[in-house]
Amino acid sequence: MKRHEFLRGLHKSTANRNYLEIGVNDGRSLTLSRVPSVAIDPAFKVVTEIRCDVHLAKATSDDFFARDNPLVHLRGGRHPLRQLARNRSPLGWWRTTTLDLSFIDGMHLFEYALRDFINVEKHSDWASVIVFDDMLPRSIDEAARDRHTDAWTGDVYKLVEILARYRPDLVTVLVDTQPTGQLVVFGADPSSTVLKDKYDEIVAEFEVPDPQKVPEAILERTTAVQPEALLGAGFWGPLAKARDRGTKRSRGWEPLRRSVEQLSVSR
């Protein structure tokens, strides 16, 4: 299954009510969205028909998330009436927008992708779905930090190890899509500051000169699940219902964790 076919399936499976994309390029992934969307790219060149209500932000993701109310275009968040009552302000609920589905496909260096995740997680919660692209390079050359090939993943694959080490509270699933795989992340916690606090330490360890030492498990895709298996899993419906009802993490996360982990074990 190719990556855009998998993304199309995720839009359907998650029943997402909004969408965020980092790295628009020509718009081939953005065209899959049918819900209010925000798309960020400092140099997009959209040539594909877009079929959603979208705010195209011509900016780096760092600059975009530094704005006041960066997701104001999505409006309403998850529970506007509840937030209105809580904040006692007609504008307060704009600050509570929670992302349902996010796709990170920006600069192909792990430190940029890590910052993107840190920023996206602030606007997500346990029922959000966050996807990284280009996580399964097919060769050492393709994984180089200094691009010298036509097809290029860079070293964003390092996020697999980084998240496993520093954020074991998350559940991550490598997906064997063509051409260069994806990573789906469940269980976001907007209150977590671990990655931000450890950012300099992480960069100091993982930023190394080429050639990169890509793990065999990444090159051989031995730990990746088939996209059909993930899209066909039984937890999507309950996840969407829990999200839409505003189910608290304390009640909804553990059942989802068990279901996703079982999928990975049975690959």
Side-chain angles (χ1 to χ4, degrees):
M1 183 181 292
K2 294 184 178 180
R3 67 170 185 166
H4 290 109
E5 184 181 354
F6 177 65
L7 285 172
R8 182 181 292 109
L10 276 181
H11 279 278
K12 181 178 179 180
S13 294
T14 61
N16 57 307
R17 301 159 302 177
N18 59 51
Y19 175 65
L20 178 133
E21 181 171 300
I22 298 176
V24 178
N25 196 13
D26 61 9
R28 280 182 293 172
S29 50
L30 182 58
T31 193
L32 301 173
S33 180
R34 299 292 184 273
V35 295
S37 304
V38 169
I40 310 157
D41 194 312
F44 60 80
K45 48 183 185 295
V46 175
V47 297
T48 307
E49 180 182 2
I50 304 303
R51 303 177 182 181
C52 63
D53 174 17
V54 62
H55 170 57
L56 274 168
K58 199 166 191 176
T60 67
S61 55
D62 287 333
D63 287 345
F64 175 80
F65 283 105
R67 298 176 181 180
D68 290 335
N69 300 324
L71 303 182
V72 66
H73 177 78
L74 301 180
R75 302 179 186 271
R78 292 158 49 94
H79 301 287
L81 295 179
R82 182 183 302 173
Q83 293 298 334
L84 279 170
R86 181 182 301 169
N87 298 327
R88 298 181 181 179
S89 167
L91 297 179
W93 54 271
W94 283 13
R95 299 179 182 274
T96 65
T97 301
T98 301
L99 294 166
D100 288 351
L101 177 62
S102 300
F103 181 48
I104 298 175
D105 186 23
M107 183 61 176
H108 291 185
L109 297 175
F110 82 89
E111 64 268 32
Y112 286 83
L114 178 57
R115 291 204 303 272
D116 287 342
F117 180 80
I118 292 169
N119 284 323
V120 168
E121 188 178 27
K122 292 177 184 175
H123 301 276
S124 305
D125 72 6
W126 72 269
S128 302
V129 177
I130 303 172
V131 186
F132 289 94
D133 199 25
D134 298 306
M135 299 300 293
L136 294 170
R138 296 164 292 183
S139 68
I140 300 296
D141 286 331
E142 199 168 64
R145 288 178 60 82
D146 184 7
R147 182 175 186 173
H148 58 272
T149 57
D150 183 28
W152 182 55
T153 65
D155 64 345
V156 293
Y157 70 87
K158 294 174 182 176
L159 267 294
V160 176
E161 181 178 349
I162 291 168
L163 294 181
R165 185 190 306 181
Y166 289 91
R167 292 294 307 280
D169 54 306
L170 302 171
V171 172
T172 60
V173 181
L174 270 172
V175 187
D176 189 9
T177 52
Q178 298 298 323
T180 52
Q182 289 158 320
L183 181 73
V184 182
V185 182
F186 300 90
D189 181 358
S191 69
S192 176
T193 63
V194 173
L195 296 175
K196 181 179 179 180
D197 295 342
K198 298 290 186 179
Y199 179 81
D200 291 340
E201 174 185 316
I202 294 170
V203 172
E205 177 181 354
F206 285 86
E207 185 179 352
V208 296
D210 293 329
Q212 301 300 309
K213 296 181 180 179
V214 185
E216 284 297 320
I218 294 292
L219 293 173
E220 300 296 330
R221 305 186 176 210
T222 55
T223 59
V225 305
Q226 291 302 306
E228 295 86 353
L230 179 57
L231 293 175
F235 57 72
W236 293 111
L239 172 64
K241 288 180 181 179
R243 177 198 66 205
D244 295 348
R245 293 171 179 170
T247 302
K248 293 182 179 180
R249 184 185 186 94
S250 59
R251 294 188 58 188
W253 172 228
E254 283 306 317
L256 174 65
R257 173 191 280 275
R258 290 193 294 270
S259 296
V260 178
E261 289 179 339
Q262 182 59 42
L263 174 69
S264 296
V265 168
S266 61
R267 65 181 178 274

